[in-house]
């Protein structure tokens, strides 16, 4: 936690505490925490001498900013028109079932996965499309989705293993 806070201070320094750089600062801070914690937003507002309401306004205006913690793996299932007609909804349902998620509960309790539905990702030729963090997975179906989740669980276990 402390280490992350140090990184926030470094980000502010690197940007010369310039209030005009609020958006890039928030982007860099979100990379550190994977979301924008309330306390950190208040700290940024004080450090940049910007009213908290303005900082919150920017953070809530742009959809790529998250004010709630997200899982390590953010699964974005595209539900734009092309993906929808090629059965994106069964993929969403498969994720709900496998991870015990629902329309209202989008992040697993162990903070490993967050499910989001998004509109067109601009890769309609590959529909239905799922993006996990930065990785694009094309021509998805519920079976492939289940296998992908298993692989991600293994990947996480491997990363956390002590050798
Ligand atoms: S509708 Fe899914 S990528 Fe375009």
């Amino acid at each position: 936690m402390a280490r992350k806070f140090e990184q926030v201070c470094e980000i502010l320094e690197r940007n010369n505490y310039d209030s005009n750089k609020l958006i890039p600062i928030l982007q860099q801070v979100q990379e550190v925490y994977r979301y924008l914690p309330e306390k950190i937003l208040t700290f940024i507002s004080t450090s940049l001498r910007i009213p908290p309401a303005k900082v919150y306004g920017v953070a809530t205006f742009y959809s790529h900013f998250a004010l709630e913690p997200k899982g390590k793996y953010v699964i974005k299932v595209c539900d734009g028109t092309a993906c929808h007609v090629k059965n994106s909804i069964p993929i969403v349902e498969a994720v709900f079932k496998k991870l015990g998620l629902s329309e209202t509960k989008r992040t697993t309790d162990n903070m490993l996965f967050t499910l989001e539905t998004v509109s067109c990702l601009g890769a309609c030729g590959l529909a239905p499309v799922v993006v996990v963090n930065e990785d694009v997975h094309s021509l998805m179906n519920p079976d492939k989705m289940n296998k992908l989740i298993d692989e991600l669980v293994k990947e996480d276990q491997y990363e956390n293993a002590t050798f």
Side-chain angles (χ1 to χ4, degrees), residues 23 55 75 89 93 112 158:
I23 291 176
V55 177
I75 301 171
I89 293 300
E93 284 165 352
L112 199 52
Y158 183 77

Side-chain angles (χ1 to χ4, degrees), residues 77-84 88 118-129:
V77 180
C78 179
D79 193 31
T81 310
C83 289
H84 188 84
S88 54
V118 293
S119 50
C120 188
L121 290 162
C124 309
L126 307 171
V129 180

Side-chain angles (χ1 to χ4, degrees), residues 6 29 42 56 63 81 86 95 101 123-124 134 143:
E6 275 169 35
V29 170
T42 311
Y56 279 95
S63 60
T81 310
K86 295 221 169 156
V95 178
L101 298 177
C124 309
E134 307 300 321
D143 259 7

